[in-house]
Amino acid sequence: MEINQNEIQLEFDSKAEEIVFSYLKEIVSDENYMIKAHCALTSVFDYNQDALIDKFRHFCLLFFNDKILSKSNFLENDTAKTHFDFVIFTKKFQMPTLFIEVNGSTHLTDPKKIMMDSFKLALSQSKSIPLIVIPLYKKYTENEIYEILQGSLSEINVKKAFPAYCPQCGNRLGINRNRKFLIDFYYCSKCKGVNKSKSKTFNIDDIPLFLK
C-alpha cells in the first residue's frame, strides 16, 4: 500500500477536525507512525469502488430499511466520498493501525451518516483494526477536545490493542503464547526465524506504541 506522506489533505470538514489533526501531530510518534487525513475506504481496504458498493448494499439490506437504497444515486455518490477522518499508519510499510472519526451532532440524526458510520465500524471490525470515535456533539473548547482525544487514544495505546506488523516484511503479525513461561509473543508467518522451520518471533515490547 503506497501512501505519499505529502498528500495529507488539509481541507477539513469542520474546525473540530482541524483541531484534532493539530493535536494528533503533537502526540503521535512520527518516528514509527504517520497520520493521513480523509483516507478513502477504497485505499485503506484495497477495494475497488464496485466492490465497496456491493459490500455497502449487502450491509444495508441486512441491518437497515432497504427503502433508502432506492434513492437516486445514493450508493454511488455516498460510498465514493466516504472516508475515515484520520488513519494512523505504520511509517515503514504504511499499514493501518487505527481509524479515528470526529463526529458532530448530525451523526446522531442523519440516517445516511448513521448507516455509513455503522458500515465503517463493521469494516474495521472485520479487519480487526480499532476505530475510535471522538463524539463532539456539542461545542467544546480546544482544551476539552484535546482531553477527549487524549483519553480515547490512551485506551488503545497499549500492547496488543492495535495491529502489529512485521518490521522486516510488513506482514501482519499473529499473537501466540509461550505455554512454559505464559508469555505472549508476536510471530510472522512469512519470515523465518533462526530455526528455519519456524516463524520469526518478536517480543510484545518490540512493537512501539503510537503515542509519544
Side-chain angles (χ1 to χ4, degrees):
M1 182 185 299
E2 293 295 330
I3 299 169
N4 187 336
Q5 198 169 5
N6 295 322
E7 291 178 353
I8 292 179
Q9 299 181 27
L10 298 180
E11 294 184 4
F12 299 105
D13 294 334
S14 65
K15 179 64 176 179
E17 277 191 11
E18 186 177 354
I19 294 171
V20 167
F21 182 61
S22 67
Y23 283 140
L24 286 173
K25 289 191 294 182
E26 290 182 11
I27 63 181
V28 172
S29 170
D30 56 5
E31 180 179 357
N32 299 293
Y33 297 94
M34 59 179 287
I35 308 159
K36 183 174 174 63
H38 288 195
C39 192
L41 303 190
T42 49
S43 65
V44 175
F45 296 113
D46 291 326
Y47 296 142
N48 62 40
Q49 192 61 42
D50 289 339
L52 185 65
I53 289 173
D54 286 342
K55 285 182 175 294
F56 182 58
R57 179 183 291 109
H58 180 67
F59 176 82
C60 290
L61 289 174
L62 283 175
F63 298 105
F64 291 92
N65 187 340
D66 61 358
K67 290 182 180 179
I68 196 168
L69 300 181
S70 63
K71 291 187 177 181
S72 176
N73 297 323
F74 172 68
L75 289 172
E76 289 75 8
N77 290 341
D78 285 69
T79 55
K81 62 186 179 183
T82 296
H83 58 259
F84 289 110
D85 291 334
F86 303 101
V87 181
I88 297 178
F89 293 92
T90 59
K91 195 167 188 178
K92 184 175 182 180
F93 292 101
Q94 300 179 11
M95 303 299 291
T97 60
L98 176 65
F99 304 129
I100 301 170
E101 290 283 274
V102 180
N103 288 355
S105 59
T106 57
H107 287 260
L108 297 175
T109 58
D110 187 325
K112 288 185 180 181
K113 289 184 178 181
I114 291 171
M115 281 203 301
M116 280 298 179
D117 290 344
S118 299
F119 180 56
K120 285 187 278 189
L121 177 60
L123 285 178
S124 64
Q125 290 176 336
S126 72
K127 302 295 184 181
S128 298
I129 300 175
L131 181 153
I132 65 171
V133 176
I134 309 302
L136 303 182
Y137 301 141
K138 62 179 184 179
K139 288 187 177 181
Y140 292 93
T141 66
E142 291 193 15
N143 286 338
E144 289 173 331
I145 292 175
Y146 177 80
E147 291 175 359
I148 294 171
L149 176 64
Q150 183 73 44
S152 298
L153 289 176
S154 297
E155 294 179 5
I156 303 297
N157 189 51
V158 294
K159 301 296 182 181
K160 300 182 292 184
F162 57 92
Y165 299 91
C166 178
Q168 295 184 7
C169 71
N171 183 50
R172 184 159 178 173
L173 298 175
I175 298 179
N176 212 335
R177 167 158 284 211
N178 183 310
R179 296 182 180 179
K180 181 178 180 180
F181 298 103
L182 301 179
I183 297 175
D184 291 340
F185 61 90
Y186 289 117
Y187 67 91
C188 178
S189 59
K190 291 186 177 180
C191 293
K192 298 301 180 182
V194 176
N195 183 341
K196 300 300 182 180
S197 64
K198 294 184 178 180
S199 299
K200 186 171 183 59
T201 61
F202 303 89
N203 293 327
I204 295 296
D205 289 336
D206 289 340
I207 306 301
L209 298 176
F210 54 80
L211 293 187
K212 293 177 182 178

